[in-house]
Amino acid sequence: MTLKTMQQSTTANVQMEKPVLTAKNVTICYGANQAVKDVSLSIHKNRITSIIGPSGCGKSTLLRAFNRMNDFIPNASMMGNIYFGDVDIYSKDIDPVDIRRSIGMVFQKPNPFPKTIYENISWGPSINGIKTDLNELVEKSLEKAALWEEIKEERLYTSALNLSGGQQQRLCIARALAMEPEIILMDEPCSALDPVSTAKIEDLMFELKKRYTIVIVTHNMQQASRISDYTAFMENGTLVEFDNTVKVFTRPKNKRTEDYVTGRFG
Amino acid sequence: MTARLFKIFCAAVTTLGVIVLVIVLFHIFREGLRWVDVQFLESFPSRFPEKAGIKSALWGTIWLISLTALFSIPIGVGAAIYLEEYAQKGAVNSFIDINISNLAGVPSIVYGILGLTMFVRFCGFDRSVLSGSLTMSLLILPVIIIASREAIRAVPGSIRHAAYALGATKWQTVKSHVIPAAMPGILTGIILAFSRALGETAPLVMIGALAYVAFVPEGPMDSFTALPIQIFNWASRPQEEFHQLAAGAIIVLLAVLFAMNSLAVYIRESAERKHK
Amino acid sequence: MEMPLERVKTSSSSPSVWFTAPRRRLRENAIRFILFLCAMISVVTTISIIFVLVKETSIFFTHVNVSEFLFGVRWAPLLEPRSFGVLPLVSGTFLIVFGSAVIALPAGLATAIYLSEYASERTRSAVKPVLETLAGIPTVVYGYIALTFITPMLSSVIPHLKVFNAASASIVVGIMILPMIASLCDNAMRAVPDSLRHGGYALGATHFEVTAKIIVPAALSGIMASFVLALSRAIGETMIVTLAAGATPNLTLSFMESIQTMTAYIVQVSLGDTPAGGVEYQTIFAVASLLFLITFCMNVAANRILRKFQEMYD
């Protein structure tokens, strides 16, 4: 995809889209340390939003807040609100388990279960009582993750740990897809992979965005500019700039953004 | 010069340790091997050494271990799961921590006294296999809990996070992923605990496992004897033949222990191979 | 098997959120409660032990003076004239512990030093299973060895040795706790970071100097803790002393004589026909309370030392 075609596709329908995920004045602390400071942004449906910034700027923390994975960090606390549609996901009557069934996550280091490929993908749906034919669901998920061709029927019941790093990560994507989430959160999904696998996954994301909404944290700016529709730049816990990717990379409003994307620091 | 002497001293001491084991085993086998035959395994104890056997002791031990497994394994593993996966890291949790490691160091005879008072007298179970196995369970519970906790702790957090991110509840995650991954370590811990249980004598003496038992238990409320008790009883007698009978019974006991330990090593190694 | 989901739309324009039946939350809470009860059993056990011991011991002390118990030098609760001074039992216990310490502490430490600092990987993998086997031998088997092997061997060297004596039991208790000391000290020394070793070598120290002057001092609290734990184990040891050390309460420093330890006394009374409720019966609890107190304090001390040691290298 050239820069030009990207421009053409995104300029048309920018302003009037309904956000699926909205963060309002979100502040997240680990004990006394503020990792995310008063961040507000919206994630739009069927788009790829990337969050970029130097190490330690809070981007992963913010991402984890979207599916309440920060709940597992003992001294993490949050102020502000995050809305999934109209639902405040941190309200008292929401069970985070329900949120995570609609908002999936792919982690930085591929973490397949030490089970067969089939079991990896079928486990999520089976414990959630999804009634559809599991065999079909597994095959479709592997197809959507562009892994079916490499796996086929014969390797379905072999251990997932025998796959290469790039294949394992696509397996993790397939596993998340099997839950039919609305949104997929990706935390630096390619940072542990080689360039070939990275390219495969980036291509995959273009396909996926037709049906899903993707939020990706990445420290690879080229990746962000290649694949995302919107880019959020964070530094030191604050949201410095959030706009169309094209604008952020070619005509950034903030000097710090410009310094970062031109490689002057970070 | 001192350096060389020191090294030789340390090596010598270590070798001595190995030699001690060899001598111990050699002595036991020399004394007892000729007594170990099918008749030995099938006879009840008797005043006449030639007729005596370990049938009641063997079956008593089997009953004891089976019932102990029934109680101690679910409770021990359950406690370990709670402490590692559910409990808040705080004062209560560290209190339970300290409590368990203290219990691990309490002399086994004190457990015997507890069993005598609690199960034999207070609950009225009398000198039964039930009392014995409940007492034994309390004794080995700390071992199972400590080993299981280590095994559970060793399961990488990334597996749990992957499961939670798919919308799983805590129990679903623990049941489908944490326990299976920790299973080799848990099993090794259980086998270790039962190796200990097999050889424990003092608590059984306290709750009244008799030595002169000429029957096999038929239910949990029956009285019983066990291999270690029989060994103790024969070794306490002055006659030489009974000492040799004791050696024979020891050989049987050591054989069972050896089998259990080999099983533990096998489990440990096949688990390591799987994760290579 | 799982609860079916109802996909509920919160509003026409917002994405749907899956809501599951409240039955799931009930089940999760029930499971959590059951597991909590399992963990609480250990607390209940400790409370029960303390309760049982305290209850009977306090009844005992209504019949017998506390200072007579703690400081009396004659222990004869079952024979006339009765006497309830526990010191002979305590001295018996500590005689055994001292004897076993003399053997096991230096030998265990030396073995650990050899295994962790000098031995090749092959030697280590050959010796470690031997130590584990020694550690796994039931104490009644050790008691048998003490009685039928060590005692005859000793009496051929020492003419006046009694059949039941403290020496055989001490030696065998020492053998029993040696693997424990060796493996704990080995762990402690291996926990010392290599950077310390390399620092020593870089300064021109020999292997011996690094071991003796850097490693052992650095691992000292781990080593101390292992000693305390092993001695606590020796104090609580029952079967070896019952079989080999004798049943004569005897306030003595001689290893050649027959003695009785606290644990052996408790066994002796249980094997006899003492009726429940009498003072003789209560002596079990009084002696057991003392035993529990001593081992408890030692274990707490050892754990405290160990915790401080672990903090150093975390």
Side-chain angles (χ1 to χ4, degrees):
Chain A
M1 264 220 179
T2 66
L3 202 57
K4 220 169 173 172
T5 44
M6 272 177 69
Q7 268 175 287
Q8 287 165 351
S9 71
T10 51
T11 35
N13 33 2
V14 151
Q15 302 306 341
M16 290 299 112
E17 288 159 359
K18 208 55 184 350
V20 293
L21 206 57
T22 319
K24 274 211 172 81
N25 303 108
V26 170
T27 299
I28 305 174
C29 303
Y30 295 130
N33 177 33
Q34 274 194 331
V36 172
K37 301 172 192 160
D38 198 32
V39 168
S40 303
L41 55 73
S42 311
I43 307 293
H44 298 278
K45 196 167 156 74
N46 295 125
R47 296 280 176 267
I48 300 178
T49 305
S50 65
I51 308 179
I52 63 173
S55 281
C57 66
K59 46 191 199 293
S60 287
T61 307
L62 180 63
L63 192 76
R64 279 198 304 268
F66 287 140
N67 68 346
R68 294 193 60 168
M69 287 300 279
N70 281 333
D71 289 8
F72 296 110
I73 300 178
N75 56 349
S77 61
M78 192 183 97
M79 287 183 290
N81 302 92
I82 297 183
Y83 296 95
F84 180 37
D86 293 334
V87 180
D88 178 356
I89 66 174
Y90 281 88
S91 84
K92 285 284 188 282
D93 23 78
I94 296 284
D95 191 345
V97 167
D98 295 319
I99 299 295
R100 297 185 198 119
R101 290 171 183 179
S102 304
I103 305 182
M105 184 173 245
V106 174
F107 297 84
Q108 186 171 352
K109 204 162 162 286
N111 55 3
F113 299 128
K115 298 187 183 225
T116 63
I117 294 173
Y118 184 91
E119 282 170 325
N120 262 275
I121 301 183
S122 64
W123 185 72
S126 66
I127 57 154
N128 282 313
I130 294 178
K131 295 282 203 241
T132 58
D133 176 14
L134 282 176
N135 292 343
E136 204 187 304
L137 183 58
V138 169
E139 184 175 333
K140 273 208 327 214
S141 306
L142 285 170
E143 275 174 356
K144 283 190 225 166
L147 198 55
W148 178 250
E149 285 304 309
E150 291 166 50
I151 302 289
K152 283 290 187 19
E153 198 82 42
E154 57 251 15
R155 291 179 64 183
L156 213 50
Y157 298 98
T158 62
S159 168
L161 300 177
N162 289 333
L163 297 173
S164 73
Q167 288 173 322
Q168 284 186 6
Q169 193 65 305
R170 275 179 284 151
L171 175 63
C172 293
I173 296 176
R175 180 174 67 182
L177 292 177
M179 293 296 296
E180 286 292 332
E182 309 261 350
I183 304 176
I184 304 174
L185 307 173
M186 300 198 182
D187 191 352
E188 302 199 37
C190 302
S191 63
L193 305 178
D194 60 275
V196 174
S197 306
T198 302
K200 282 200 182 134
I201 291 185
E202 286 180 12
D203 288 338
L204 185 57
M205 289 202 266
F206 279 123
E207 277 306 305
L208 289 178
K209 102 170 164 179
K210 295 178 191 159
R211 288 189 59 169
Y212 308 93
T213 305
I214 298 178
V215 184
I216 172 170
V217 161
T218 178
H219 65 260
N220 183 340
M221 282 186 288
Q222 287 76 24
Q223 182 175 77
S225 62
R226 267 197 300 273
I227 62 171
S228 61
D229 301 298
Y230 296 102
T231 300
F233 169 59
M234 284 181 70
E235 194 191 4
N236 259 327
T238 48
L239 180 64
V240 177
E241 189 161 344
F242 177 57
D243 210 333
N244 290 356
T245 300
V246 177
K247 284 218 197 102
V248 169
F249 280 92
T250 56
R251 294 188 307 277
K253 294 200 193 92
N254 194 304
K255 177 128 200 331
R256 292 302 283 169
T257 316
E258 188 181 336
D259 288 342
Y260 183 73
V261 302
T262 54
R264 256 183 231 133
F265 78 93
Chain B
M1 189 52 206
T2 0
R4 179 127 357 124
L5 274 179
F6 181 70
K7 178 175 176 181
I8 293 178
F9 172 70
C10 291
V13 169
T14 310
T15 322
L16 210 65
V18 179
I19 291 179
V20 163
L21 178 66
V22 173
I23 293 182
V24 162
L25 289 178
F26 178 70
H27 176 77
I28 291 173
F29 275 82
R30 190 183 61 180
E31 292 296 299
L33 198 53
R34 76 184 94 109
W35 290 91
V36 181
D37 53 21
V38 180
Q39 188 238 354
F40 184 63
L41 296 173
E42 303 247 287
S43 315
F44 292 115
S46 152
R47 281 179 296 130
F48 305 104
E50 323 77 54
K51 294 204 199 136
I54 53 171
K55 183 167 178 184
S56 44
L58 205 54
W59 279 100
T61 295
I62 292 175
W63 267 93
L64 185 68
I65 297 296
S66 311
L67 282 181
T68 305
L70 195 67
F71 297 126
S72 61
I73 295 180
I75 297 180
V77 179
I81 294 174
Y82 178 79
L83 292 169
E84 285 300 310
E85 299 289 322
Y86 287 85
Q88 250 90 330
K89 307 288 169 204
V92 177
N93 203 6
S94 23
F95 170 69
I96 299 182
D97 255 353
I98 298 175
N99 190 41
I100 291 177
S101 60
N102 277 331
L103 281 177
V106 171
S108 59
I109 197 162
V110 175
Y111 280 100
I113 292 178
L114 178 66
L116 175 68
T117 321
M118 260 317 136
F119 302 125
V120 176
R121 297 247 152 96
F122 182 70
C123 291
F125 294 146
D126 221 13
R127 308 171 151 196
S128 58
V129 191
L130 186 61
S131 298
S133 52
L134 286 170
T135 308
M136 233 11 135
S137 300
L138 290 183
L139 176 66
I140 64 173
L141 213 53
V143 181
I144 296 181
I145 295 178
I146 292 173
S148 301
R149 283 188 74 173
E150 264 192 52
I152 292 174
R153 214 175 299 157
V155 177
S158 54
I159 305 270
R160 291 185 186 81
H161 289 163
Y164 291 134
L166 288 168
T169 64
K170 185 163 270 185
W171 176 244
Q172 286 166 339
T173 305
V174 166
K175 182 174 120 181
S176 301
H177 297 292
V178 177
I179 297 183
M183 205 38 105
I186 294 178
L187 280 177
T188 316
I190 291 177
I191 294 179
L192 214 87
F194 277 87
S195 303
R196 174 112 184 257
L198 225 79
E200 277 292 343
T201 324
L204 297 179
V205 169
M206 291 307 296
I207 63 138
L210 309 161
Y212 208 75
V213 165
F215 54 85
V216 166
E218 279 167 21
M221 296 308 288
D222 285 349
S223 51
F224 72 110
T225 185
L227 266 178
I229 296 276
Q230 193 62 69
I231 295 171
F232 173 60
N233 177 273
W234 279 336
S236 312
R237 310 253 192 117
Q239 296 95 340
E240 176 70 24
E241 293 95 346
F242 282 111
H243 288 186
Q244 292 169 357
L245 279 173
I250 290 176
I251 292 175
V252 175
L253 183 61
L254 289 181
V256 175
L257 285 174
F258 179 71
M260 288 179 83
N261 265 351
S262 310
L263 185 62
V265 170
Y266 172 72
I267 293 176
R268 214 187 317 165
E269 303 210 324
S270 67
E272 274 166 26
R273 238 179 297 126
K274 227 206 291 184
H275 287 266
K276 278 266 154 82
Chain C
M1 185 230 122
E2 274 294 332
M3 311 293 127
L5 301 177
E6 306 150 30
R7 206 162 193 167
V8 174
K9 275 196 166 282
T10 45
S11 87
S12 56
S13 55
S14 75
S16 49
V17 179
W18 303 71
F19 288 116
T20 53
R23 257 191 297 163
R24 181 194 72 209
R25 204 171 285 193
L26 196 68
R27 208 179 53 154
E28 286 291 309
N29 286 339
I31 291 176
R32 187 201 169 107
F33 183 64
I34 293 174
L35 295 177
F36 172 74
L37 288 181
C38 293
M40 279 299 118
I41 293 203
S42 68
V43 177
V44 170
T45 306
T46 307
I47 296 177
S48 307
I49 292 178
I50 295 178
F51 175 73
V52 161
L53 289 177
V54 167
K55 175 164 168 254
E56 293 288 334
T57 308
S58 46
I59 299 178
F60 175 76
F61 282 132
T62 63
H63 299 295
V64 176
N65 200 312
V66 176
S67 50
E68 183 201 333
F69 178 70
L70 288 178
F71 302 115
V73 294
R74 191 169 157 262
W75 180 256
L78 306 164
L79 315 159
E80 297 295 337
R82 300 225 256 185
S83 179
F84 293 96
V86 83
L87 281 187
L89 294 183
V90 175
S91 87
T93 301
F94 279 100
L95 197 64
I96 300 288
V97 170
F98 177 73
S100 66
V102 160
I103 296 175
L105 299 192
L109 184 58
T111 307
I113 291 177
Y114 182 71
L115 284 180
S116 96
E117 303 297 317
Y118 289 102
S120 66
E121 196 54 43
R122 223 179 45 176
T123 318
R124 248 184 90 84
S125 51
V127 174
K128 276 237 149 197
V130 170
L131 286 178
E132 279 179 23
T133 312
L134 276 176
I137 294 181
T139 56
V140 71
V141 176
Y142 275 121
Y144 166 83
I145 292 290
L147 191 61
T148 63
F149 187 62
I150 303 286
T151 303
M153 202 175 72
L154 279 184
S155 47
S156 60
V157 185
I158 304 168
H160 301 295
L161 196 65
K162 308 248 174 58
V163 176
F164 296 114
N165 61 83
S168 306
S170 296
I171 293 174
V172 176
V173 172
I175 297 175
M176 180 195 81
I177 62 176
L178 192 147
M180 186 177 167
I181 295 178
S183 83
L184 286 176
C185 286
D186 179 59
N187 290 347
M189 283 186 285
R190 297 200 122 211
V192 176
D194 270 340
S195 51
L196 280 171
R197 284 185 185 82
H198 296 158
Y201 289 129
L203 287 169
T206 64
H207 195 169
F208 172 64
E209 281 169 341
V210 169
T211 305
K213 296 190 186 155
I214 297 183
I215 306 288
V216 171
L220 199 61
S221 21
I223 294 175
M224 287 283 110
S226 77
F227 285 176
V228 175
L229 278 174
L231 293 182
S232 165
R233 181 100 185 269
I235 290 177
E237 168 42 41
T238 313
M239 300 322 293
I240 302 177
V241 293
T242 306
L243 278 169
T248 351
N250 189 355
L251 190 60
T252 176
L253 287 176
S254 164
F255 279 93
M256 307 305 146
E257 296 185 31
S258 169
I259 52 129
Q260 187 175 53
T261 63
M262 294 188 273
T263 50
Y265 171 74
I266 297 175
V267 169
Q268 179 196 23
V269 179
S270 328
L271 286 176
D273 284 318
T274 320
V279 189
E280 307 85 355
Y281 176 71
Q282 283 148 13
T283 54
I284 297 180
F285 295 88
V287 175
S289 298
L290 188 58
L291 180 70
F292 178 72
L293 214 63
I294 296 175
T295 51
F296 180 77
C297 292
M298 290 182 78
N299 288 332
V300 166
N303 279 327
R304 198 163 288 175
I305 300 174
L306 258 179
R307 204 161 297 157
K308 226 190 300 174
F309 176 63
Q310 275 160 1
E311 279 168 14
M312 249 206 288
Y313 290 121
D314 270 343

